[in-house]
Amino acid sequence: MSQTGRCLCGSVSFELLGDVIATAVCHCDHCQRQSGGAFSVNLVVHESQLAVTGDLAVYEERGERGDDVYVLRKFCGSCGSPIVSALAKTEGIVAVKAGVLDDKSAVSPTVEAWCEHKQPWVDLGEMAVSMDRE
Ligand SMILES: [Zn+2]
Ligand SMILES: [Zn+2]
C-alpha cells in the first residue's frame, strides 16, 4: 500500500509505503499549538517507509526545563504545514501528520495520547488504546 501527501503550497510532497504501525491522536498542548487545531493525528511509521521530496524546515522541541531535544518537528518552510515529527528517543520511528495526506478518508485512529489536555468539546468516540502520559 502506498499513500501520498503534500504541504499546503506543494513545495514538499511525500510518499508513504506499507502499513502504518499505529495511528495516534495526540492532545498535547504542543500539538495543539503546532497544528492550530485541537489535536494532531499521526501515522506512526518506520522512517524508511517515508520518502520526502522538497526541503523540510526543522523545529527542535525541548522539554519545559530546556532539556535535551525530544521531538524534531519538520514542516514546510514556506507555508508552514507540519509534515512529520521524529521522536529523539525512538530512533527510526516517525509520525507523519495525517492532515497532509492527499486521501485522508482511510485514516483510522487507534491510540490517544495526552488525554489530560484533551479539550472538553472534543469527542472522538472510543479508541482501542488510551494513554494518559508517556
Ligand atoms: Zn509548503
Ligand atoms: Zn502531541
Side-chain angles (χ1 to χ4, degrees), residues 26-31 40 73 114:
C26 184
H27 297 283
C28 84
D29 179 74
H30 292 183
C31 281
S40 68
R73 291 185 182 264
W114 288 95

Side-chain angles (χ1 to χ4, degrees), residues 23-41:
T23 301
V25 169
C26 184
H27 297 283
C28 84
D29 179 74
H30 292 183
C31 281
Q32 291 172 4
R33 289 180 197 281
Q34 192 201 22
S35 68
F39 52 86
S40 68
V41 183

Side-chain angles (χ1 to χ4, degrees), residues 45-109:
V45 297
H46 295 281
E47 201 166 12
S48 57
Q49 291 175 257
L50 180 69
V52 176
T53 306
D55 292 326
L56 289 170
V58 181
Y59 173 65
E60 296 183 343
E61 188 177 318
R62 289 166 192 277
E64 279 166 19
R65 294 173 303 279
D67 337 324
D68 294 345
V69 173
Y70 71 102
V71 184
L72 295 171
R73 291 185 182 264
K74 301 183 183 181
F75 58 97
C76 171
S78 56
C79 72
S81 298
I83 306 292
V84 60
S85 291
L87 292 164
K89 271 189 233 163
T90 48
E91 209 180 316
I93 303 289
V94 296
V96 178
K97 301 297 172 183
V100 287
L101 287 175
D102 291 325
D103 179 5
K104 296 170 264 271
S105 63
V107 173
S108 151

